[in-house]
């Protein structure tokens, strides 16, 4: 400690004390030289944390990416010659509902094992055979629906069941899926339709 302040301790200069004095001076020098520069280590850790966070968010987004089409804003409305189907699958707590621009087409009750994805696929196959050029579907989800149920419904809406193909030989059923919030059950009940 005395080496840090530039003060030398007072010792007697006897023959035994000179050896002791040299040993003490050596220890003081070793302590002074062994200081750790923490500032540069903090800088290294800050840069390391930044790259770890960026790298983990990029790899996580690639791992769990769902191919969804987000609605876009266009400057002018596009006028189409064919009427739009506006196909929608709504997930509610007790049932799922398939509707289009003509209204509700079918309601499938929820089973103990989950939503009736096989029944949903069959209804969507029938709709696809009537409208072969349609590729868009809106998935409307009520509150508190499990993520696994949403993915199961999306998978059965996106492609034909295993082993079957469409009229044109493709396996894509309705590959362009947009997601949104479903109307509440009370709005459905007011319209006179029961599950």
């Amino acid at each position: 400690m005395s080496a840090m302040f530039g003060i030398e301790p007072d010792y007697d200069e006897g023959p035994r004390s000179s050896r002791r004095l040299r040993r003490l001076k050596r220890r003081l020098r070793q302590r002074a030289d062994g200081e750790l520069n923490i500032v540069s280590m903090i800088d290294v850790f800050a840069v390391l944390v930044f790259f770890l966070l960026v790298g983990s968010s990029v790899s996580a987004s690639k791992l769990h990416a769902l191919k969804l089409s987000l609605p876009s804003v266009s400057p002018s409305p596009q006028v189409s010659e064919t009427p739009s189907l506006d196909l929608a699958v709504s997930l509610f707590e007790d049932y799922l509902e398939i509707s289009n621009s003509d209204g509700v087409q079918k309601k499938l009750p929820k089973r103990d094992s989950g939503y009736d994805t096989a029944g949903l696929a069959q209804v969507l196959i029938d709709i696809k055979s009537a409208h072969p050029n349609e590729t868009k579907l809106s998935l409307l989800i009520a509150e508190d629906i499990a993520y696994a149920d949403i993915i199961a419904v999306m998978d059965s809406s996106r492609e034909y069941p295993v082993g079957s193909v469409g009229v044109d030989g493709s396996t894509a059923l309705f590959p362009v899926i947009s997601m949104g919030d479903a109307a509440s059950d009370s709005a459905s009940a007011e319209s006179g339709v029961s599950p």
Side-chain angles (χ1 to χ4, degrees), residues 37-116:
N37 189 0
I38 296 178
V39 175
S40 61
M41 193 165 67
I42 290 173
D43 290 343
V44 168
F45 280 126
V47 171
L48 183 67
V49 165
F50 172 75
F51 282 108
L52 287 174
L53 287 175
V54 169
S56 66
S57 65
V58 168
S59 64
S61 66
K62 287 181 182 177
L63 182 64
H64 298 292
L66 291 176
K67 294 181 181 177
L68 298 176
S69 64
L70 299 174
S72 62
V73 178
S74 62
S76 63
Q78 297 175 351
V79 178
S80 98
E81 296 173 12
T82 60
S84 176
L85 183 61
D86 294 331
L87 183 61
V89 175
S90 302
L91 286 170
F92 294 104
E93 189 175 333
D94 299 330
Y95 63 96
L96 62 87
E97 175 182 274
I98 300 113
S99 61
N100 62 14
S101 54
D102 296 333
V104 175
Q105 297 297 314
K106 184 116 182 182
K107 286 193 175 194
L108 300 170
K110 186 175 181 181
R111 300 177 181 168
D112 292 335
S113 61
Y115 290 100
D116 184 10

